[in-house]
Amino acid sequence: MQGIRAAIVDLDGTMVDTLGDFDVALNNTLKDLGRPAVTHADIERMVGKGSAHLIRSALLHGGLGADEAAALQSEAWTRYQAHYLAINGEHSAVYPGVLEGLAALRARGLPLACLTNKPLDFARPLLQAKGLAGFFAHVFGGDSFARTKPDPLPLIKTCEALGTPPAQTLMVGDSQNDGIAARAAGCPVVLVTYGYNHGDPIAQAPHDRLIGSLAELA
């Protein structure tokens, strides 16, 4: 933590276990469209690259070809958005140690930003519902910038909003998206060992440190 002046924290899989929300919203969407359901394990491999990727992955997993999935994408997104907003936060839980970790970062005087690939209209209410919104000076979603993680652009833009150089801005996440983006942006990166990493071992993702709880940042 030497020289760190601000921190950027991911949401899904880092602060909040949202697989239950994804499960309900996505499978209700697939049911509406007459498509096969996906399992909890399937969803865990699919999440992390934004809602459009999640929906497309679920349609393809259900046996549709690329063109057929693309043709259904717009309707699927509309239905998914309605289902997700209706249950946002009801089937999710804050991971142990998150409140302690965020409080410790704030106690050091570090400004915090939440940066997620989740749409901003989903992210803000979730942070509010889980009592986390007050920790963050800024919240940015997957639709806040022209590109999403693992592209470094969102991290660079978030550093600009925080007013700190990337080299002094810690990225805290749970997947290779966070690690790759942080490396490319020039941010130090800490990854949690309990999140969603597309079924791959988190130790293989770029990182400076692995932690089992955000409380270890204290």
Side-chain angles (χ1 to χ4, degrees):
M1 298 291 290
Q2 190 82 20
I4 296 299
R5 293 172 48 198
I8 301 170
V9 189
D10 177 55
L11 180 49
D12 297 306
T14 301
M15 290 192 288
V16 183
D17 182 357
T18 46
L19 276 184
D21 286 348
F22 287 126
D23 193 338
V24 172
L26 188 58
N27 278 312
N28 281 342
T29 300
L30 293 170
K31 184 178 179 181
D32 288 350
L33 299 172
R35 302 307 308 163
V38 289
T39 68
H40 218 71
D42 294 330
I43 296 169
E44 188 167 0
R45 288 191 296 271
M46 296 172 183
V47 297
K49 295 184 178 179
S51 295
H53 179 270
L54 175 63
I55 293 166
R56 183 167 59 253
S57 297
L59 292 171
L60 292 171
H61 185 80
L64 288 181
D67 290 344
E68 295 171 301
L72 268 182
Q73 185 81 19
S74 179
E75 182 183 358
W77 165 243
T78 299
R79 290 177 179 272
Y80 177 79
Q81 190 172 26
H83 284 304
Y84 202 102
L85 288 172
I87 56 90
N88 192 1
E90 290 183 13
H91 306 276
S92 64
V94 177
Y95 287 109
V98 168
L99 291 172
E100 295 87 339
L102 295 177
L105 293 174
R106 282 284 298 273
R108 295 184 184 187
L110 303 183
L112 306 181
C114 175
L115 174 62
T116 172
N117 279 350
K118 195 183 204 73
L120 191 58
D121 285 348
F122 294 0
R124 285 190 185 279
L126 180 61
L127 288 169
Q128 198 70 46
K130 298 304 179 184
L132 302 174
F135 286 104
F136 297 100
H138 306 280
V139 179
F140 298 115
D143 46 1
S144 294
F145 306 111
R147 296 184 293 279
T148 59
K149 298 177 291 183
D151 192 283
L153 177 70
L155 273 75
I156 293 168
K157 291 293 186 182
T158 302
C159 288
E160 290 176 3
L162 288 166
T164 52
Q168 294 180 310
T169 308
L170 179 69
M171 176 73 218
V172 183
D174 71 308
S175 80
Q176 58 190 345
N177 291 329
D178 300 304
I180 292 168
R183 279 286 184 268
C187 296
V189 57
V190 170
L191 298 178
V192 300
T193 56
Y194 52 75
Y196 321 136
N197 189 40
H198 321 292
D200 297 325
I202 191 60
Q204 294 178 3
H207 65 274
D208 296 302
R209 182 184 171 196
L210 295 177
I211 57 174
S213 164
L214 259 62
E216 293 179 39
L217 295 172

